[in-house]
Amino acid sequence: MRFISRLLAPFVFVIAYALFRSSMQQKSLKKHTFVMKLFRFCADNGHKKALSVYGHLLHFKGDGVQNRIQGGIYLQQAAEKGDDKAQYQMGRIFENGYEHYFQPDEATALRFYTNAAEQGHQLAIKRLVDTYAQGELGQVADPVKADVWRAKQPAL
């Protein structure tokens, strides 16, 4: 049964995401709850994008600390699977810490920011430029590394 659920997760995610984005589900608690259950099904079956979306929704929009921590856990799973948006958010979470569950950890924050930046995530690249230019996150100021990351930023 677990195998079938994992196979279905990508298809269910497409449906859930389409419903989430549609105006049909707005302002309806019943429909919102249904879509969140679909996202959770997909996330619980290891779908990377579902882990990221569901984690973001819980962590940033969830009610109560427990939902926000659970969202962070889903984000961390998505980040470990390589989702650049989740990696950036986990960098922020580990940089600042969150409640008692996510303790501030500069090395872990730097690892997540670097992973996201290597995939082209612009906010992560900006954070690394600042980190190396100003010597933050336990790093010594290194203008050469700052310039390397600065070169990866798009021209304005």
Side-chain angles (χ1 to χ4, degrees):
M1 187 65 171
R2 186 80 171 155
F3 176 72
I4 294 171
S5 294
R6 286 192 181 271
L7 285 177
L8 288 175
F11 302 108
V12 173
F13 177 77
V14 169
I15 292 167
Y17 198 74
L19 289 172
F20 178 71
R21 289 293 187 188
S22 78
S23 60
M24 196 174 80
Q25 91 83 47
Q26 293 175 353
K27 297 181 182 164
S28 169
L29 182 59
K30 192 174 180 181
K31 290 176 186 173
H32 174 76
T33 302
F34 175 69
V35 169
M36 291 298 282
K37 285 180 182 181
L38 292 178
F39 279 140
R40 183 172 184 170
F41 168 81
C42 298
D44 287 344
N45 283 288
H47 188 271
K48 178 173 73 171
K49 191 70 176 163
L51 286 164
S52 180
V53 170
Y54 189 59
H56 274 88
L57 289 172
L58 283 178
H59 186 72
F60 294 105
K61 305 278 187 187
D63 291 333
V65 173
Q66 283 306 111
N67 278 337
R68 292 176 186 266
I69 290 171
Q70 187 64 44
I73 292 168
Y74 280 112
L75 281 172
Q76 188 170 16
Q77 290 174 8
E80 297 293 343
K81 286 181 173 256
D83 184 85
D84 64 329
K85 291 177 183 173
Q87 288 170 336
Y88 173 74
Q89 292 302 332
M90 288 311 300
R92 290 184 59 203
I93 289 170
F94 277 108
E95 181 176 357
N96 301 311
Y98 186 77
E99 293 297 325
H100 61 281
Y101 193 86
F102 295 101
Q103 299 299 317
D105 183 341
E106 291 180 337
T108 303
L110 182 63
R111 176 175 58 90
F112 279 120
Y113 284 137
T114 302
N115 290 344
E118 287 171 350
Q119 294 183 64
H121 192 282
Q122 294 304 307
L123 293 173
I125 292 171
K126 182 181 181 327
R127 184 66 187 108
L128 289 179
V129 169
D130 294 344
T131 296
Y132 290 116
Q134 299 169 10
E136 299 171 344
L137 295 177
Q139 303 300 300
V140 176
D142 186 341
V144 174
K145 283 185 179 179
D147 287 340
V148 167
W149 287 109
R150 195 173 285 115
K152 294 182 182 196
Q153 289 181 312
L156 296 176

